[in-house]
Amino acid sequence: MARRESAAAGPGSRALVVDLIRSSGPISRVELVKATGLTQPTISNIVRRLLDDGVVRETGDTVATGGKPRTLLVINSRSAYGVGIRVGADTLTCVVTDTRGGTIGRELIAVSPAEDVVTQLSDLYLHVTGGLGLAPQSVAGLAVVAPGPVDVARGRFLALPGFGHLDLRRALSARLGVPVLVDGDAAAAAVGEFWGRQVSRDRTFGCLYMNSGIGSGVVLDGALHRGASSNAGEIGHVSVVREGDPCRCGNRGCLELYAAPAALVSRARTITGLADRLGIRADDPDARAFDVLARAAIYGDDQARVLVDESAALLADGALTLANLWDLDTLVLAGPGFAVAGSLYVSEIRRRLGERAVSRRIHAVQVDLSSNPRDSAAIGGAALVLQGSVAPGHGPQVAVPQT
Amino acid sequence: MARRESAAAGPGSRALVVDLIRSSGPISRVELVKATGLTQPTISNIVRRLLDDGVVRETGDTVATGGKPRTLLVINSRSAYGVGIRVGADTLTCVVTDTRGGTIGRELIAVSPAEDVVTQLSDLYLHVTGGLGLAPQSVAGLAVVAPGPVDVARGRFLALPGFGHLDLRRALSARLGVPVLVDGDAAAAAVGEFWGRQVSRDRTFGCLYMNSGIGSGVVLDGALHRGASSNAGEIGHVSVVREGDPCRCGNRGCLELYAAPAALVSRARTITGLADRLGIRADDPDARAFDVLARAAIYGDDQARVLVDESAALLADGALTLANLWDLDTLVLAGPGFAVAGSLYVSEIRRRLGERAVSRRIHAVQVDLSSNPRDSAAIGGAALVLQGSVAPGHGPQVAVPQT
């Protein structure tokens, strides 16, 4: 059944055609006409420009169909590279991907609170791209992704301390001379998982993301749902305790106040002897302490397991809300928060959706764990850069270098 | 900023072009090319077929643009009619709309529990279309809308007692000889409000719907979001009381168990003297009793007001969840549940979103009350029929008459 009553060809058609060649290639122009519903002349024009720009290439193979043999098209995977940097609570993760979505470089560094953030991000970008020996003109751009809310138009992360009034997009593009975009980490992760898995475009694809906070993203008809301001998917700020603790977002009793790593770690620290027994030091950052706690839960520590199970139960309610509001058929768990104990979360969420999803008598919801939960947001950022670069003006605004 | 990275022209393009002519007409072919991003030959082909089918007509006026004068197109509003019937707890509401979305007929009848539902629906359809003297071939079809979950593919309402195993779609199309579709009432209401208000396609448009239950629908890029099985938007089954009362949906503590009319009425009946004072009789159906209660709240009855305020506070949390997950910029309240005390709900929801929406520092969410809350679902059903008829195979499946 068609999931939408209508659709239009925009300049975004170029991104669509690239996506299809990437996910379904080698593919012929005739197959692209069928798959997109675009007219044959439109496809011919788009493909001609993609060949001129070196984004796609002809394999040289043809398919005999009785009629005129069809030339097959594939992505020219080395034509451009996207760089994505995820800003975590105390780390920066940088990845470089090619136009097929393959990761060709990765680097993780600690944030030094003393140093200027623009300098740290620029140095990391230059270090990684330089180390790979990438020709500057082959880099499509840089995406910086971090927890929302994000003011994409002004290039600002509103939730990051010290980032509030900084136009990171312009500052970095001026410094580096490449297009830069900023976006939410959960939205980027959804794009990263969608690209990486080569999910069919007709799936209603959701991604539940947990790092220091909890968010989500949904991909509809192969495109990220952005909403009015690229701040969709804020499942972490659904109230799970009526008029509960006040949250930085302005709401009360938010899911992430009770289920995110920081909440579990602070609860663990109140349980006499638990932190010592697990080797959680007083000065450990939440992310590291949570990994220790999650590992203990996996290895059968009862007190650690109780805390993780409570978090999983709350996230299962959140996943149920996502499934019921979007009528998902696919949900992927991604983000550093799922890196260690993801299997415990997956099984609890599968159980909850199987028992309680409104649509369960009509279809199942497939729930999977990301194969690379720590990197999906950075990889998705790189994917967004490449999408933007192959369809100028589409996707999130990309700052033109000021140099 | 583009809200989606890519879009494609499908057969749905025909529905899109009709939507644009309906909402923006009189409009020229050149303007349609600009608005849709479709190629000029594609637009010419679609418009030629629409003219042949009598769906659109040329005004006879032209716009001089220096170059070749442009002929203007408008909808031929009498070319086809859509019929929508909303199945309520104890009533059936039937509306007939033309292709411009104007309502040309309406009838409300009580459901007689004794009588066969297919007979009641067929008789109502024949009575209303006959009364308007519509030529059978001018009726595009019938949409029956009711509370979800709905199995659109099998033509079944899973939530309606006695409807569970009936393929209403095939039964009615065989009886009436017109295309029939079934859909959720909240989803239909969203389409009805979107059509009726001629909302700009770039809005992220949500509709919060309350009848006996609570649901919602979202329109993106001018098209209803259906999700995997047309069961998206189930905000009434978000848990607001952890492990609270069991709900028919399989979840516990669902919003609609605490905030919907039936909940308020049963609470009102437990308050000594309140029902008598307001004139709520023991045998009054919930819908009628709720209207009495809501009217008393509006006119300042303190006990009634407390109950409605509690319901409004819960719905405000639900509206906040919708705004945060979809990043809405527009939300309309529709459905019989808002017909009397809608103003109380609107002001509470406006306040909550203004104080707590994650995106509030980036943009406001406009919250409006439907101008015709009792009919939006039936009107939307008629709109869905017309959309389906102008783009065969798109939108919800439409049963081909068996006669």
Side-chain angles (χ1 to χ4, degrees), chain B residues 14-47:
Chain B
R14 178 169 157 133
L16 168 64
V17 169
V18 170
D19 274 358
L20 281 168
I21 298 173
R22 186 185 55 74
S23 59
S24 318
I27 186 171
S28 70
R29 291 168 176 79
V30 173
E31 292 170 293
L32 287 172
V33 169
K34 287 206 197 86
T36 58
L38 293 166
T39 58
Q40 185 273 333
T42 305
I43 290 293
S44 300
N45 291 336
I46 292 173
V47 169

Side-chain angles (χ1 to χ4, degrees), chain A residues 4-30:
Chain A
R4 298 164 60 77
E5 277 69 44
S6 66
S13 307
R14 178 168 157 135
L16 168 64
V17 169
V18 171
D19 273 359
L20 281 169
I21 298 173
R22 187 185 54 73
S23 60
S24 318
I27 186 170
S28 70
R29 290 167 178 80
V30 173

